[in-house]
Amino acid sequence: MPFLTAGFPTIRESKDALQVAAETSDILEVGVPFSDPLADGPTIQRSTYRALENGMTVAGTLELIGSANLNRPVVLFSYLNPVLQYGVDRLLRDAADVGVAGLLLTDLPAGADVALEEIVHCSPLDLIRMVAPTSRKARIAQAVDRAQGFVYLVARLGVTGVSAELATDLGPSIERVRVATSLPIAVGFGISTPTQAIAVARLADGVVVGSALVEVLGRHGVAAAGRFLGGLRAALDSA
Amino acid sequence: MTHTLVPETSTAGRFGPYGGRYVPETLIAALDDLASLYDSMRGDTGFWDEYHQLLRDFVGRPSPLSEAPRLSALVGVRVLLKREDLNHTGAHKINNTIGQALLARRMGKRRIIAETGAGQHGVATATICARFGLECVVYMGALDVERQALNVYRMQLLGATVVPVESGTRTLKDATNEALRDWVTNVATTHYIIGSVVGPDPYPRMVRDFQSVIGQEARTQVLERVGSLPETVVACVGGGSNAIGIFAAFLPDASVGLVGVEAAGEGIGTSRHSATLTAGRPGVLHGSLSYLLQDGDGQVAPAHSVSAGLDYPGVGPEHSWLRDRGRVEYHAVDDHEALEAFRRFSELEGIIPALETAHAIAWIIKSKGRWSVDAAPVLLCVSGRGDKDVAHVASLLGPST
């Protein structure tokens, strides 16, 4: 499951990158750029600032997804404020129109705004919930209670970005979520190499690769990003 | 003095619709722990005794209530000054950092992080960390590091590590983002001392409680001195902690007018100001829903003020609620008016105020004629002293002749 920032490195290349990524992935995650990405590390931060300079907006993100004809389920990643200002109902309607399947709001943890969460839950879009290494048993139960689609498990403490090693307690973390829900579990944060992807895929149902992909895309372009994802895909298929 | 906490004005972490906890999931457990510890400390007299002992012996509280005879003559009403500038470290910020450092100690967290704009909160945090022997890391926008070299060196002298933040607008908002990123990464060992009544619950109510000592002292002092309550209480508002601190004790007194003064920067009509409550609209930043300076797409707008302490695009959620309810009036004063008040107040009263405070003073001067001669006094919160601003003001106004 690749993550890409909408509008990075340019709006044109962003569309190309989404199409290339769709060829080798099961689900695409598309990030709406936000001026204050406090859950993101330096790579995604830089990509969002660049995307904003390129004039990317919520409406532009939806337009990009629609025009790319991706033929894969798309999950929209966003901080809450751009969605609030666009209008929640309007976003859910417009996103469904361009084929978005799910919505993950980084700074809307379970229970933060129950009414808003219910609106997403009852919409055509799946309400994607996050679980963190710090989430305790009762909290995991609360987080997965209204979750739809899949559960996104944050692999380690910290912000998005490449790590040299996977968290050692990833197995037990996945197990704690597994007993709480029958939904598939995707794991993200810090996964960048085929070896790491294979290790995570043995335990989880989905592997999210974001910062490493955005880094390759920014430095070496769309074709290189496609080869990077192709390498991960091949590793996962042969494992 | 015994600490009488103000009745809680929030419900489930919200002030009306504002506040809340809009943070990444990773922080929820830490906020739950902090809130439950703080809730238990609210009724713990031992905790408050220790807090007040430090305020007395280390900070020098209670801070005095001063007359301002020449300013009073100028504006035609008696003005009384609550002297937070006389606190150790030179501003109200230390009231909060002491309270939170005590909480961190109870949680067994030995590493403290903080964000700072002008550097006053950073200095206050570094100070109490030195006193308690805690590790201290302060995030500061790279632009502010350049503008406030003196405070950077003060923090370093106090043993803190100052990390310049190069992302975004390189100011307070980005320093706050970076502090939150550190906290997400090191949450098991680290307490984040937020410097204002902003951020996710429980910070806005916790910081208010630690700052409410300002208003409690001032209310008692004014009653003793004058025999009646003030007509109006005035304070500057960036994030809004000194304002909430002095307002809290007067909220139940319906006869007392409360005025918060924001920074209009180069003018409300320009894009270069920090007047969040005057010109913003509700949005989510740094963990809470509150008024926010933002564009039509929900991107946070860069703030501007001559005063680094007011240079922030958000504001505390309790202020948003007080604004909507009409309990507090909010006005805005521009850079030019604040600089003029800075100079004027120094000459008239022998007190060099912080540039932040100068905004509140400017509003009082502008509002001459609002009060009748026999009105009860106007109470001004002198949130900090202006030593930190002298070099900056000299560069803007030129040397005195």
Side-chain angles (χ1 to χ4, degrees), chain A residues 3 37-45 48 79 106 159-161 189 211, chain B residues 178 181:
Chain A
F3 169 93
L38 57 84
D40 286 301
T43 302
I44 306 289
Q45 285 176 46
T48 64
Y79 289 85
T106 316
V159 293
T160 58
F189 280 45
S211 297
Chain B
E178 208 54 36
R181 289 180 189 121

Side-chain angles (χ1 to χ4, degrees), chain B residues 73-89:
Chain B
L74 178 73
V75 295
V77 67
R78 184 177 178 186
V79 180
L80 295 170
L81 311 174
K82 180 59 176 165
R83 300 291 305 279
E84 294 301 299
D85 60 310
L86 291 178
N87 291 340
H88 179 42
T89 72

Side-chain angles (χ1 to χ4, degrees), chain A residues 155-156 165-174 203:
Chain A
R156 57 160 164 75
E165 285 171 31
L166 291 173
T168 49
D169 56 352
L170 189 56
S173 292
I174 292 172
L203 303 165

Side-chain angles (χ1 to χ4, degrees), chain B residues 213-390:
Chain B
V213 65
I214 304 172
Q216 284 170 23
E217 287 177 5
R219 192 173 182 280
T220 305
Q221 288 167 322
V222 173
L223 281 173
E224 278 174 6
R225 174 95 45 104
V226 183
S228 70
L229 289 167
E231 178 88 11
T232 313
V233 180
V234 186
C236 61
V237 177
S241 68
N242 89 90
I244 285 284
I246 198 163
F247 292 166
F250 296 98
L251 283 175
D253 302 318
S255 70
V256 179
L258 305 175
V259 175
V261 183
E262 297 191 298
E266 294 176 7
I268 298 289
T270 73
S271 61
R272 290 178 54 77
H273 63 80
S274 304
T276 310
L277 291 162
T278 309
R281 52 178 211 285
V284 170
L285 179 68
H286 297 150
S288 61
L289 176 71
S290 194
Y291 278 79
L292 180 64
L293 297 178
Q294 55 185 321
D295 70 14
D297 206 45
Q299 307 298 339
V300 178
H304 166 79
S305 169
V306 68
S307 140
L310 302 182
D311 192 347
Y312 182 68
V315 68
E318 188 164 8
H319 283 292
S320 292
W321 185 224
L322 290 166
R323 173 202 185 276
D324 284 5
R325 284 162 54 216
R327 178 63 186 97
V328 179
E329 275 177 58
Y330 294 90
H331 297 281
V333 156
D334 69 25
D335 286 352
H336 176 77
E337 294 166 318
L339 284 165
E340 177 60 21
F342 180 90
R343 200 180 54 75
R344 211 72 197 277
F345 191 70
S346 301
E347 287 174 4
L348 286 174
E349 296 299 341
I351 299 167
I352 299 174
L355 268 177
E356 292 78 15
T357 310
H359 286 72
I361 298 165
W363 180 80
I364 292 175
I365 294 171
K366 271 171 81 167
S367 304
K368 177 181 177 173
R370 177 183 164 120
W371 301 280
S372 61
V373 276
D374 55 352
V378 171
L379 173 64
L380 166 69
C381 186
V382 182
S383 56
R385 59 175 171 248
D387 307 39
K388 70 185 173 61
D389 298 312
V390 167

Side-chain angles (χ1 to χ4, degrees), chain B residues 1 3 48-63 87-88 92 94-99 102 210-211 213-214 217:
Chain B
M1 113 176 218
H3 197 85
W48 294 102
D49 286 349
E50 195 176 4
Y51 169 73
H52 279 288
Q53 190 180 344
L54 282 159
L55 290 187
R56 188 185 66 223
D57 301 341
F58 188 62
V59 177
R61 299 202 75 95
S63 63
N87 291 340
H88 179 42
H92 69 290
I94 190 96
N95 304 328
N96 168 46
T97 61
I98 286 180
L102 284 170
F210 291 138
Q211 293 294 0
V213 65
I214 304 172
E217 287 177 5

